[in-house]
Amino acid sequence: MAKANFTIRQLFEMDACTNCRLCADVCPAAYAAMNGELSAVYRMKGLKRHLKAQTGMLSKLLGRRPLSAEALKHYADTVFRCTLCSNCEEVCPLGIRLKDLWLSLREDLVQEKAYPSKIDMIRTNLAKSRNVFGEDNSERAEWVEDMRRPPPDRYLKPRAEVVYITGCVSAYFPLAQKIPMALAEIMDASGVDFALLGEDEWCCGFPLLGAGLMEMFADFKFQNLAAVKAKGAKTVVFACPSCYQMWREYYETDLELLSAPELLLRLVRGGRVPLAELALTVTYHDPCDLGRGARIFEEPREVIRSIPGVTFIELAHSRENCMCCGGGGNLEMVDPDLAAKIAQAKIDEVLATRAQAVVTSCQQCVRTMTSYVRRNRIQLEVLDIVQLVRKALIPATPAKP
């Protein structure tokens, strides 16, 4: 490993760690796998050891040597089996920015060629197809064709006030495509002038961040910014928290960026969303990137409470302490079995509330939890918040001829 990949602040933070082990107690991967090597404690100890063995006079005097290729590969496997949920960072008493540290570590390991083989698949798919799944990018907006009443322009109009970034998961996974359909119908009913980018939308870059491949990111950022600018839009809307995070933290733009819960709340407060009574008891799962990442906690809850007839119950772990669903950090690609074990713990917590449905604000969370629920034949509805609002939306009355 090379110290050049870590900032001065990060080097100080590594030394500041007191090994208090609070982070280990909240790690979803370590808990689900019952493997302490997956916790932040093990990761931090390994990082310190590797760096000290490579640099400085002390390492020479003590005869410390870098890890063998085999040992480094084993360490890398533990590093990439992390959901990047930031719960370790949330509980750190010293305020160490652990997620940024893990991201720098992944980038470093990729340069050392010590990483899971699935990282090469992510690299290849994004380089060739501009989406993480390797699908034809010209099909990114084909979900519109499955709507009940798709508009003639398929939302691909040349100019609009708002651009809706669909995201790779919702664009290509049938299970998640109901989310953009629902949001499009809500925006139509609310009179929002919006457009899609279609094939001009490339992956936001989040999979590159999680895979340690940020040297590829610039092309994706410039393409997406140029495509939005070409529409003349002032606002960009995201139903995917990971896309939202990338744009907020890495796109350096003066565009107004809104997550789906923020947009929904704005429309509800403005009286633009006609809602009927919906008899349903729900609980809410805070997505890691939207909750701990963007600190958006109240907006989705206010939207839920605005729907007549809905009963809302909090999870035992909620808001900044919400348990990860297992779908983040590229974990489903690297270790799908571990992702499923984390999802099991999440669903067990949801079932304890006796809610009829679990609502979230993330297409990946919906996909991960729904997959587990269906595989195990559990009677539980999994909904994105836009799907919940769509359930209560009063359909527009057709104009008389």
Side-chain angles (χ1 to χ4, degrees), residues 306-351:
S306 73
I307 302 174
V310 169
T311 300
F312 176 58
I313 303 172
E314 284 282 11
L315 289 168
H317 299 87
S318 63
R319 301 176 187 266
E320 64 271 13
N321 297 315
C322 194
M323 293 167 54
C324 179
C325 74
N330 297 328
L331 182 62
E332 278 196 310
M333 290 186 173
V334 173
D335 191 341
D337 291 337
L338 177 57
K341 289 179 180 178
I342 297 173
Q344 178 182 356
K346 176 83 258 183
I347 296 301
D348 286 347
E349 183 187 39
V350 170
L351 293 174

Side-chain angles (χ1 to χ4, degrees), residues 20-32 39-41 87-88 91 317 323:
C20 69
R21 302 189 65 81
L22 289 176
C23 55
D25 295 337
V26 298
C27 176
Y31 174 81
S39 74
V41 173
N87 216 357
C88 54
V91 301
H317 299 87
M323 293 167 54

Side-chain angles (χ1 to χ4, degrees), residues 276-282 307-311 383 387-389 391-392:
E277 185 166 332
L278 180 63
L280 191 67
T281 300
V282 307
I307 302 174
V310 169
T311 300
L383 297 169
Q387 293 175 284
L388 179 68
V389 173
K391 270 180 171 285

Side-chain angles (χ1 to χ4, degrees), residues 13-312:
E13 286 179 333
M14 291 179 212
D15 283 334
C17 176
T18 62
N19 193 32
C20 69
R21 302 189 65 81
L22 289 176
C23 55
D25 295 337
V26 298
C27 176
Y31 174 81
M34 300 184 67
N35 183 351
E37 288 190 351
L38 299 183
S39 74
V41 173
Y42 175 84
R43 205 173 305 138
M44 182 70 82
K45 285 183 177 179
L47 177 55
K48 289 180 180 180
R49 184 172 65 249
H50 301 334
L51 289 178
K52 289 179 179 179
Q54 286 190 339
T55 59
M57 184 61 69
L58 184 61
S59 65
K60 295 178 181 178
L61 291 174
L62 296 178
R64 291 175 176 165
R65 297 179 180 177
L67 286 182
S68 65
E70 182 179 350
L72 186 60
K73 178 64 166 60
H74 174 76
Y75 177 65
D77 285 342
T78 69
V79 171
F80 282 90
R81 290 163 70 196
C82 162
T83 64
L84 297 174
C85 73
S86 296
N87 216 357
C88 54
E89 181 174 322
E90 190 70 39
V91 301
C92 178
L94 297 177
I96 298 175
R97 296 186 297 188
L98 289 166
K99 183 176 179 179
D100 286 344
L101 195 57
W102 308 148
L103 292 170
S104 295
L105 176 56
R106 289 188 180 196
E107 193 169 359
D108 193 282
L109 288 168
V110 168
Q111 293 174 17
E112 290 283 327
K113 301 190 184 307
Y115 55 86
S117 60
K118 288 296 180 68
I119 299 302
D120 287 327
M121 182 184 72
I122 293 172
R123 188 203 313 268
T124 299
N125 288 350
L126 287 167
K128 291 184 177 180
S129 304
R130 306 306 184 183
N131 63 78
V132 72
F133 304 114
E135 300 289 344
D136 186 343
N137 209 55
S138 66
E139 299 175 357
R140 189 176 276 273
E142 285 200 352
W143 55 267
V144 178
E145 302 294 335
D146 294 326
M147 294 180 66
R148 283 175 288 184
R149 290 186 293 274
D153 60 15
R154 302 305 190 258
Y155 302 118
L156 296 174
K157 51 191 178 184
R159 307 285 290 183
E161 296 176 3
V162 176
V163 163
Y164 169 32
I165 298 294
T166 309
C168 296
V169 173
S170 282
Y172 294 108
F173 273 84
L175 187 153
Q177 286 175 339
K178 295 177 182 179
I179 296 171
M181 291 180 196
L183 185 53
E185 290 187 22
I186 293 168
M187 288 194 285
D188 277 342
S190 304
V192 176
D193 175 28
F194 78 98
L196 304 175
L197 298 181
E199 63 182 310
D200 290 332
E201 178 187 331
W202 291 8
C203 176
C204 68
F206 186 81
L208 295 173
L209 180 69
L213 300 171
M214 283 297 279
E215 76 276 2
M216 299 173 58
F217 173 64
D219 288 345
F220 291 80
K221 177 177 73 172
F222 294 144
Q223 164 64 25
N224 287 330
L225 285 171
V228 171
K229 183 178 180 181
K231 297 286 187 185
K234 303 298 182 184
T235 301
V236 187
V237 170
F238 310 86
C240 172
S242 300
C243 294
Y244 181 57
Q245 176 192 339
M246 289 301 296
W247 278 71
R248 284 177 57 249
E249 298 183 10
Y250 295 94
Y251 273 66
E252 301 165 349
T253 176
D254 58 358
L255 291 163
E256 181 185 35
L257 308 178
L258 290 177
S259 66
E262 291 174 301
L263 172 68
L264 292 174
L265 184 56
R266 179 180 295 184
L267 297 176
V268 167
R269 284 177 172 175
R272 297 170 64 181
V273 185
L275 297 174
E277 185 166 332
L278 180 63
L280 191 67
T281 300
V282 307
T283 189
Y284 181 73
H285 163 73
D286 292 276
C288 300
D289 291 328
L290 192 67
R292 281 184 288 270
R295 316 309 287 185
I296 293 179
F297 299 119
E298 294 302 327
E299 291 87 344
R301 288 167 170 80
E302 187 171 339
V303 170
I304 292 171
R305 292 189 178 104
S306 73
I307 302 174
V310 169
T311 300
F312 176 58

